[in-house]
Amino acid sequence: MPFQIAVTNVLVTLLFILPGFFLSKLKKAASDHLSTLSGVLVYACSPCMIACTFISLDFSRENLVNMLLFFLVSLVLQGAFMAIIYGLCRKRIREAKYRILTIGSVLGNVGFFGLPIVRALLPDHPEVACYSSMIVISMNILVFTMGVFCLTGDKKYMTLKSALINPTMLGFIVGFPLFLLSAKPHIPDPLYNAIDALGNMSTPLCMLILGIRLAAIRIKPLFTRPIVYLICLCKLLLFPLFAYGCVYFLPLPQAFKASVLILTSVPCASVILGLAEIHHSETELSANCVLVSTLMCFLTIPVLTLLL
């Protein structure tokens, strides 16, 4: 059953690529505008998605403890695997492709792609939506520091300010206190629905952007660069197996462990491409990694769910 659910939901998510692809081919959308769409996705839709996952969950001490623990575990797992890759590539880290390997092997599309899948696979555990948000927050601490540094080569982004002041943290700052106060019944429905609508745009908009990007590049080079396959291997198989192996024997709820496996097995983070578009740096390689890993995850995610 998890295998079939995973196949169905991954396929539905991937289908959102098609409108962007065909609109671009029909000259109704252009890749020149992707930096604007990426800005909307990163700075508007993503914070709303994060805020709504917290607002919609009922407060309990167990949920609070597990959420905070998931944040710590996910941050440690991502940091540890990134450190391993960095260590293996340290002699050639000045080359852009090895810097992209370092972050692409770890940073995943845990929000836009992972959230709908983890919800579908674990429908009786609403807290998994917040697990997704917690790993988004921990990942973005790395994205807006190490991630931007690897894209630009500029160490000025490696600051505590960059780690804590980013669009994801805005969603957390708004949503987390409302979760603690169980404030959803007191929020006017039109306001909540508006925030929820923006959050729900995240996955379709993310995939539309990928579709437009896919239509704008040559297909042959996309699948003929060995470094892209190495990044996909690390992101789609090695990292989730590493993460799941680290938590498998720990005394944690099964939904917690399953969420670790599912959320670490998602494709390379679209925010890598979004930031590459915004900073106009390493756009082609970032796009290739995101696109190829997104297409390949149709095979890898269902297979990994057989471990659950």
Side-chain angles (χ1 to χ4, degrees):
M1 183 63 72
F3 181 87
Q4 295 175 340
I5 294 173
V7 169
T8 301
N9 282 271
V10 171
L11 178 59
V12 169
T13 302
L14 291 179
L15 287 176
F16 284 121
I17 291 177
L18 297 180
F21 180 85
F22 288 115
L23 283 172
S24 182
K25 289 297 185 182
L26 293 171
K27 309 300 182 184
K28 301 298 182 182
S31 58
D32 294 341
H33 302 149
L34 288 183
S35 60
T36 299
L37 290 177
S38 297
V40 173
L41 177 64
V42 172
Y43 293 103
C45 297
S46 179
C48 288
M49 179 187 67
I50 298 295
C52 279
T53 59
F54 287 109
I55 295 171
S56 61
L57 183 65
D58 293 332
F59 174 79
S60 72
R61 170 169 282 189
E62 181 181 7
N63 283 338
L64 176 61
V65 170
N66 285 337
M67 283 164 49
L68 296 176
L69 182 59
F70 200 92
F71 168 78
L72 292 174
V73 168
S74 63
L75 183 62
V76 170
L77 290 174
Q78 291 172 102
F81 198 77
M82 188 178 292
I84 292 171
I85 299 298
Y86 183 88
L88 293 173
C89 302
R90 66 184 182 278
K91 293 183 179 179
R92 308 184 71 175
I93 203 65
R94 291 187 179 181
E95 296 181 45
K97 63 182 180 180
Y98 292 104
R99 298 201 306 270
I100 298 297
L101 171 62
T102 301
I103 59 174
S105 297
V106 174
L107 306 180
N109 211 343
V110 291
F112 310 138
F113 203 100
L115 178 58
I117 293 175
V118 77
R119 274 177 165 168
L121 286 169
L122 301 165
D124 298 327
H125 298 274
E127 70 274 12
V128 299
C130 286
Y131 292 165
S132 174
S133 295
M134 298 311 287
I135 194 174
V136 169
I137 293 167
S138 66
M139 185 193 78
N140 274 270
I141 290 175
L142 298 172
V143 165
F144 287 93
T145 52
M146 189 65 180
V148 180
F149 164 69
C150 285
L151 287 170
T152 64
D154 193 337
K155 291 185 178 180
K156 72 179 182 181
Y157 295 102
M158 300 287 289
T159 66
L160 182 62
K161 179 180 178 180
S162 298
L164 299 180
I165 301 178
N166 58 65
T168 300
M169 289 304 296
L170 175 62
F172 175 76
I173 290 169
V174 171
F176 190 68
L178 295 175
F179 158 71
L180 295 177
L181 296 171
S182 297
K184 183 180 178 182
H186 307 291
I187 299 175
D189 287 342
L191 176 59
Y192 176 81
N193 291 339
I195 298 172
D196 189 47
L198 274 175
N200 288 335
M201 287 171 55
S202 298
T203 298
L205 181 57
C206 173
M207 294 297 108
L208 285 170
I209 290 172
L210 290 180
I212 295 171
R213 169 56 62 186
L214 180 62
I217 64 177
R218 293 179 298 155
I219 297 298
K220 185 177 179 180
L222 179 66
F223 294 99
T224 55
R225 296 189 66 180
I227 188 66
V228 174
Y229 287 100
L230 178 59
I231 293 171
C232 292
L233 172 66
C234 291
K235 180 66 200 74
L236 298 178
L237 291 176
L238 298 184
F239 179 47
L241 291 174
F242 165 80
Y244 191 55
C246 288
V247 301
Y248 184 79
F249 295 102
L250 298 179
L252 298 167
Q254 181 57 31
F256 188 109
K257 298 177 184 179
S259 296
V260 168
L261 177 65
I262 297 164
L263 293 171
T264 55
S265 67
V266 296
C268 295
S270 58
V271 71
I272 298 176
L273 175 56
L275 289 173
E277 299 281 1
I278 292 169
H279 292 281
H280 305 287
S281 175
E282 302 298 342
T283 303
E284 182 179 354
L285 179 57
S286 299
N288 288 356
C289 294
V290 174
L291 287 166
V292 174
S293 64
T294 300
L295 296 175
M296 291 177 64
C297 78
F298 177 71
L299 300 174
T300 58
I301 291 179
V303 169
L304 286 172
T305 60
L306 296 176
L307 297 174
L308 301 177

